[in-house]
Amino acid sequence: MRCLGGVIEHNTHRKVVVIGGGYAGTVAANRLRRRTDVDIALVNPRPEFVDRIRLHQFVSGTGDVAVDYGTLLGEGIELVVDSATHIDTADRMVRLASGHALDYDYVIYAVGSTTAVPSVPGAAEFAFSVAEVESAQRLRARLEEVPRDARLTVVGGGPTGVETAAELAEQGCTVALVCGGSLLPSLSAPGRRYVARWLSRHGVSVLEGATVTEVRPDAVVFGDGAVRPSALTIWTTGFGGPQLAAESGLRTDTLGRLLTDETLTSIDDDCIVATGDAVAPSGRPLRMSSQGAGALGAPAADTVLSRIAGTEPAVVDLALIGTCISLGRRVGIRQLARKDDTAVNFYVGGRAGARIKEVTCKVGVGKIRREARKPGSLIWPKGNPRPAFAASVVTSI
Ligand SMILES: Cc1cc2nc3c(=O)[nH]c(=O)nc-3n(C[C@H](O)[C@H](O)[C@H](O)COP(=O)(O)OP(=O)(O)OC[C@H]3O[C@@H](n4cnc5c(N)ncnc54)[C@H](O)[C@@H]3O)c2cc1C
C-alpha cells in the first residue's frame, strides 16, 4: 500500500507510532519532536528502557540495565507500555496485545532483535540466552543455583559470547567458550590474539573449530561425539528478529528484518519506516549493534519528517567505526575499523580499552538524552555511502 506519494494531506497533527523503545526507537521518537505538530506514541512492552549492551554484566551481577524512560524521552512523547501484535496497513492501526489499537499516519518499526532460536537438539530447552532481559533474568537466577566450581559452557565466539565468558570468568566461574569457527572473526589477527591471551590467563578454555551438536541438561555434545559436562550452557550464536512485520504481511528478510529502500522506507508501504536491528535496507542490513541502532534512529525519524514536509527523504549513510568488547570490568579492547566496518591491525587494549568501552556504553544512552533535550542534534559517522537501492537483491530474498 502507498500513501499518496508518501505525503499525507492533513490539517491536524500527524500521528507517528514508534514500535520498540530500544536505542533506535527512543532516538527516533525524540528526533520527531523537531516538528511540534507530530503526536508521538512509543510502544514498548516494558515500562523501563533496557540498556541491552550491559546484559552480560546484569547476568554476572556487575551492572544494571534498567533506565527510567522519564530520563530518556522528550516532553510530549506518550509511552504506551504494551506490545504491538499487528500492523494493520489497510486501516492504519497498530493493534496491541492489550486489545487496544493506535491509529497512525506513520509507523517507525524499531523492534530490535531477539534470541535466535537454535536448531541444535536440546539447545532451545536447556541452553540459556543473554540476548533479552527476560532470558537474562532466567540465566541469572540459574547461575545463583549452580555450585561455584561448576563447569559452564558459552557457545558462540562472537562479541556477545566473549563478553559473557569473560564476565563470568572474572567472577571465578570455570568457563569453556565454544567458537564453532574461530574466535572473534570480525577482529584483526592482533586483536584476536590479545583477547585469546586474556581469556587463557583467566582460565577460559577457548575451543576454536569445535561445534556443539547437542545440549543436555548437564552436558554438551560435540561434533566428534565428545561429551563435556556443563552445569549451565549459554547460547550466543547470533540474534534473530521479531516476526511482527512478516506477520503483518510486510516483506522481511529471513531474520524478520523489514525490507526497505535506502531511505529506510518499507518496500511495501511508504508509511512504514524501519530502523535499528530491525531494518534490512535493500536486503543488505548493517551489522546489528547499538552503535548502528542509535545512529539509525535519526535518519528514520528524518525520513518520516521529510515525508510529512513533502520533501524527498535522504538515503542513509552510516559508517560503523569498529567494535568495543569488554573483558571483565578492568580490561577491554577497542578494535579500530575502516568505514566499511572491516578491522584494521590496530586496537587499544588494557585499562584504556575498558575505559573506552565504558564511555561508549554511557554515550549510547547519553545520545538518547541529548536528542530528547535538543531534537535534531544527533550526528553520526558518515562516509560509507551504500550502493544504490538494489531491487534485484530484495526480490531475490
Ligand atoms: C549482551 C549483549 C551485549 C551487547 N553489546 C554490544 C556492544 O558492545 N556494542 C554494540 O554495538 N552492540 C551490542 N549489543 C547489540 C545491541 O544490544 C543491539 O544491536 C541493539 O540493542 C539494537 O538496538 P535496537 O534499538 O534496534 O533494538 P533493541 O535494543 O533490541 O530494542 C528493541 C525494543 O523493541 C521492543 N519490542 C520488540 N517487539 C516489540 C513489539 N511487538 N511491540 C513493542 N515493542 C517491541 C523490545 O522489547 C525492545 O525494548 C549487545 C547485545 C547483547 C545482548
Side-chain angles (χ1 to χ4, degrees):
M1 166 189 151
R2 323 300 286 178
C3 37
L4 300 176
V7 183
I8 296 172
E9 297 298 331
H10 272 281
N11 296 322
T12 56
H13 281 211
R14 275 69 161 187
K15 293 180 181 169
V16 183
V17 176
V18 181
I19 307 177
Y23 304 95
T26 48
V27 165
N30 283 331
R31 195 165 180 101
L32 289 168
R33 292 173 62 248
R34 290 171 96 177
R35 280 186 77 117
T36 52
D37 59 352
V38 176
D39 293 337
I40 309 154
L42 176 71
V43 184
N44 195 70
R46 295 168 220 93
E48 286 169 321
F49 175 88
V50 172
D51 198 5
R52 264 184 91 195
I53 62 174
R54 293 191 191 271
L55 277 173
H56 58 294
Q57 285 183 248
F58 171 78
V59 162
S60 316
T62 61
D64 203 1
V65 290
V67 183
D68 184 351
Y69 274 118
T71 69
L72 296 180
L73 295 178
E75 208 175 306
I77 296 173
E78 183 193 0
L79 175 66
V80 179
V81 180
D82 213 324
S83 283
T85 52
H86 189 75
I87 305 169
D88 184 340
T89 53
D91 289 343
R92 294 231 192 95
M93 303 282 263
V94 174
R95 312 240 170 241
L96 304 175
S98 61
H100 293 113
L102 300 168
D103 59 323
Y104 68 81
D105 295 313
Y106 295 95
V107 160
I108 294 186
Y109 188 73
V111 295
S113 52
T114 56
T115 308
V117 181
S119 56
V120 167
E125 293 90 329
F126 304 123
F128 290 79
S129 162
V130 288
E132 291 163 273
V133 69
E134 291 78 10
S135 57
Q137 281 162 345
R138 287 192 289 276
L139 170 54
R140 185 170 158 155
R142 178 72 186 125
L143 263 172
E144 281 164 13
E145 291 167 5
V146 297
R148 201 75 194 144
D149 58 351
R151 295 173 78 175
L152 315 182
T153 308
V154 176
V155 184
T160 307
V162 167
E163 289 194 322
T164 305
E167 209 76 34
L168 293 171
E170 200 178 64
Q171 299 295 308
C173 300
T174 307
V175 185
L177 178 65
V178 185
C179 299
S182 61
L183 176 72
L184 290 171
S186 61
L187 260 59
S188 64
R192 272 202 298 279
R193 282 197 293 275
Y194 179 79
V195 174
R197 277 197 303 274
W198 188 95
L199 291 170
S200 162
R201 273 204 311 278
H202 289 78
V204 178
S205 313
V206 177
L207 308 178
E208 290 187 284
T211 307
V212 171
T213 53
E214 186 189 341
V215 180
R216 296 178 183 165
D218 55 359
V220 288
V221 182
F222 291 94
D224 62 2
V227 179
R228 180 186 190 273
S230 178
L232 196 160
T233 302
I234 305 170
W235 204 268
T236 70
T237 58
F239 298 140
Q243 297 301 310
L244 173 64
E247 288 166 4
S248 301
L250 297 160
R251 276 179 288 174
T252 65
D253 71 2
T254 48
L255 285 188
R257 292 174 286 211
L258 190 74
L259 288 176
T260 69
D261 63 18
E262 293 294 329
T263 72
L264 308 179
T265 305
S266 162
I267 59 169
D268 296 310
D269 189 327
D270 283 358
C271 297
I272 300 182
V273 172
T275 184
D277 282 1
V279 65
S282 304
R284 290 180 296 224
L286 286 108
R287 169 164 56 88
M288 286 186 179
S289 64
S290 63
Q291 187 190 141
L296 281 174
D302 290 349
T303 287
V304 169
L305 294 174
S306 294
R307 292 196 183 283
I308 291 172
T311 57
E312 197 58 38
V315 299
V316 71
D317 180 6
L318 165 65
L320 297 177
I321 46 168
T323 316
C324 279
I325 297 171
S326 60
L327 299 170
R329 289 301 85 216
R330 289 182 290 277
V331 171
I333 177 168
R334 170 79 168 95
Q335 171 65 64
L336 298 177
R338 299 177 192 89
K339 284 181 174 176
D340 67 356
D341 206 21
T342 54
V344 297
N345 277 347
F346 185 73
Y347 68 86
V348 181
R351 285 182 183 272
R355 271 198 298 276
I356 295 172
K357 167 79 183 185
E358 184 54 28
V359 168
T360 308
C361 291
K362 287 191 173 138
V363 164
V365 173
K367 276 184 193 162
I368 303 170
R369 293 202 172 105
R370 199 166 57 246
E371 196 63 22
R373 281 196 303 276
K374 199 168 172 213
S377 61
L378 186 83
I379 50 168
W380 60 94
K382 295 184 180 171
N384 184 30
R386 292 170 52 83
F389 171 65
S392 58
V393 176
V394 167
T395 48
S396 67
I397 287 176

